[in-house]
Amino acid sequence: MSSYVLGADVGTSCLKVVLIHPERGVISKDEFSYQMRRPHAFWAENDAEDWYIALTKAIPKVLITAGITASDVAALCIVGQRDIGVLLDGNGEVLAPVIHWTDRRDPDQTHKFYDQVGREELIDRSGTLPIPGLLLPNLLWTKNNSPEIWARVRHIVTPKDYLAYKLTGDIGTDPTGPTRSTMNDWRNNSWCQKTCDAIEVPMEFLPEIKYKSWEPRGVLGKEATAIGLLPGTLLVAGGGDDPAAALGSGVIHPGDVSVGTGSSMSWRVVDSQPRHDPTGLIGLMPHVVPDAYLHEMVVVGSGTTLRWFRETFTNNSTFEDLIANTSKIARGSEGLLCYPFVEGATVPFQDDNARATFYGISGHHSTSHFVKSMLEAVAYQYPSLHEVIKSRGLSVGTLTISDGEARSKIWNQIKADVLGLPITPAVHVEAPAIGAGILAGIATNKFSSFEEAVEIVVETAPPIYPDAESENVYEKLRIEWEKIRDVVYPSLTSSSSQLK
């Protein structure tokens, strides 16, 4: 009997795979990186074929590491980004590079359309804050600027649904698939006919919502061998990366909070009821767990700012080394402040045209000062995000942190000190892939419940508690950071009414 299941996560810069055993939890894991293509200033594109190649590389390596064969694997589940879409023609061929959610190629066109349709109406329909880079404005850009490509479009699918199509020929999605597209109807967990009519995108181009995230969507045929598996392996529907990350962090009960920083920083809060935020600051979607909803804030640019700095100025030093070298830098980075808005500002203040700044540079500042200022800049945003959650009536319990940032004790301590609350890091930081693996286990009855799966699979480290002295120091430093932010970015001050 096949005992193992696989979970895969299609991320911004790499695809991650984990192998899970229903009694022993996470057995092995691997990731395969791919390039973000930037052919012009402010552009960001993925090649959909890179995701497939990554899957063919990562799965065999995970099996080899674990010392098992493909015959031991019962199911695969893939999760991924919900913000972007792969354009397919009638034969299922990819028509163009995939415009990424970090793309900012034509913000004026995006603002014009959002204003034309009505931002408040879009928030009311979709439960998502309209920002550049999401599926809706990216489709509009293609329609307006590449009409020869648009004329051939017949299907628009998310990354995980594209891979499912490659493997099974099936085109469909789950209820989390339309979320963060701004083309969805949150009340009905469906695509929104009114929005599609407004942008003249035929509804039949969008994948039918066929499955719940934990249900099978097909059985792999001969295509399985290309990714290192056997025909007959079950493919599970999967879901969006953020709800899967919440599941993979053990965040499944009302009041549980998951925080993760990859390219962006996401705060995810579980509740038993949908709570629509008319300002759009907190997005709304179904969880990948039954009878639960996820309320999410996405702060763009946080992880991307650190990655940009590393690639541009450090000869691609590892994140671990860069962060470790900040240990001797004083709190406050000796006057150097960072505002990590390389892709604009979203929450708690919105300005799509804001761009990143280092403030207070002096001759004695080293690379480590710059890195620490970025770590502190992300942490300085925690208290206001926490306040937004509480102001919307959401209960806040255990705060679990995952994704790559959870590896760093230094960074986690800074965040705990700034927030003034304990933070619980995940042992395995590949939360979306772990969530996918749990969904695969549920679909194959390897776990009797989501609670059992979390108990077996999700491992957390001891909580990191705020240091009293550092908490007091960082409170003053954060207030100073906010004062200077309001001077450098007056547009953010003017948008502060969203917090109310």
Side-chain angles (χ1 to χ4, degrees), residues 43-364:
W43 288 39
E45 298 177 340
N46 281 140
D47 184 339
E49 186 66 14
D50 287 347
W51 305 328
Y52 181 72
I53 293 171
L55 197 65
T56 67
K57 301 292 185 182
I59 288 178
K61 190 171 180 180
V62 163
L63 301 187
I64 291 171
T65 301
I68 68 169
T69 66
S71 62
D72 296 311
V73 177
L76 165 68
C77 178
I78 306 173
V79 300
Q81 305 161 80
R82 300 154 290 143
D83 326 67
I84 58 180
V86 186
L87 306 181
L88 305 178
D89 66 13
N91 296 317
E93 296 297 321
V94 177
L95 290 169
V98 181
I99 303 177
H100 197 253
W101 58 263
T102 59
D103 190 284
R104 297 295 183 268
R105 65 183 62 186
D106 199 343
D108 290 340
Q109 182 185 85
T110 300
H111 294 157
K112 181 179 179 180
F113 175 77
Y114 282 154
D115 291 340
Q116 175 185 334
V117 173
R119 291 175 182 266
E120 293 78 9
E121 188 169 354
L122 282 173
I123 293 170
D124 182 66
R125 294 175 189 165
S126 70
T128 297
L129 185 69
I131 62 172
L134 302 183
L135 180 61
L136 186 153
N138 291 347
L139 293 181
L140 281 176
W141 187 92
T142 301
K143 282 186 62 180
N144 293 334
N145 295 277
S146 300
E148 72 287 354
I149 290 176
W150 184 255
R152 298 171 58 197
V153 172
R154 294 298 178 270
H155 304 286
I156 304 164
V157 293
T158 65
K160 61 100 172 170
D161 293 321
Y162 168 71
L163 291 179
Y165 166 73
K166 287 271 289 186
L167 294 171
T168 66
D170 169 65
I171 292 181
T173 194
D174 72 296
T176 70
T179 62
R180 278 194 68 74
S181 66
T182 60
M183 297 172 63
N184 61 302
D185 178 345
W186 72 265
R187 292 175 176 85
N188 297 307
N189 285 333
S190 64
W191 300 102
C192 181
Q193 183 71 60
K194 285 186 178 180
T195 303
C196 289
D197 289 345
I199 62 175
E200 298 180 342
V201 171
M203 285 277 281
E204 58 265 28
F205 285 7
L206 302 171
E208 180 185 351
I209 301 168
K210 296 180 178 180
Y211 326 96
K212 295 182 172 66
S213 301
W214 55 88
E215 292 180 341
R217 70 179 297 164
V219 175
L220 301 184
K222 62 182 181 179
E223 295 82 3
T225 58
I227 60 172
L229 297 177
L230 295 181
T233 304
L234 190 70
L235 182 66
V236 179
D241 51 357
D242 282 298
L247 172 58
S249 302
V251 173
I252 61 175
H253 296 123
D256 289 347
V257 182
S258 166
V259 178
T261 298
S263 296
S264 61
M265 173 171 58
S266 295
W267 281 56
R268 314 154 186 131
V269 189
V270 182
D271 201 359
S272 59
Q273 299 295 327
R275 296 175 183 263
H276 178 254
D277 179 3
T279 70
L281 282 181
I282 299 183
L284 174 62
M285 72 196 76
H287 203 343
V288 291
V289 174
D291 303 318
Y293 293 84
L294 208 64
H295 301 79
E296 175 188 44
M297 291 183 291
V298 179
V299 182
V300 301
S302 45
T304 307
T305 300
L306 187 58
R307 182 182 296 116
W308 161 79
F309 185 87
R310 182 190 69 139
E311 294 174 352
T312 305
F313 298 111
T314 72
N315 196 27
N316 278 328
S317 299
T318 66
F319 288 119
E320 291 81 3
D321 287 345
L322 289 174
I323 295 174
N325 291 336
T326 67
S327 61
K328 295 182 180 179
I329 304 297
R331 291 167 298 210
S333 303
E334 297 186 12
L336 180 61
L337 304 179
C338 172
Y339 297 93
F341 306 139
V342 293
E343 293 155 355
T346 48
V347 293
F349 309 109
Q350 184 179 13
D351 182 357
D352 298 330
N353 294 316
R355 290 298 176 262
T357 299
F358 286 101
Y359 182 92
I361 301 172
S362 293
H364 72 284

Side-chain angles (χ1 to χ4, degrees), residues 10-16 31-36 46 51 81 100 263 307 311:
V10 187
T12 293
S13 59
C14 68
L15 182 141
K16 298 177 182 178
E31 62 182 60
F32 191 88
S33 299
Y34 31 76
Q35 182 183 8
M36 177 67 72
N46 281 140
W51 305 328
Q81 305 161 80
H100 197 253
S263 296
R307 182 182 296 116
E311 294 174 352

Side-chain angles (χ1 to χ4, degrees), residues 362-407:
S362 293
H364 72 284
H365 286 142
S366 64
T367 298
S368 295
H369 286 89
F370 281 87
V371 174
K372 185 153 189 171
S373 74
M374 287 182 273
L375 305 182
E376 291 174 330
V378 171
Y380 288 150
Q381 299 174 80
Y382 271 43
S384 57
L385 297 173
H386 190 247
E387 286 302 315
V388 171
I389 292 173
K390 293 193 298 182
S391 72
R392 284 0 184 222
L394 290 161
S395 60
V396 180
T398 302
L399 196 154
T400 304
I401 194 162
S402 61
D403 296 334
E405 63 174 334
R407 295 187 177 101

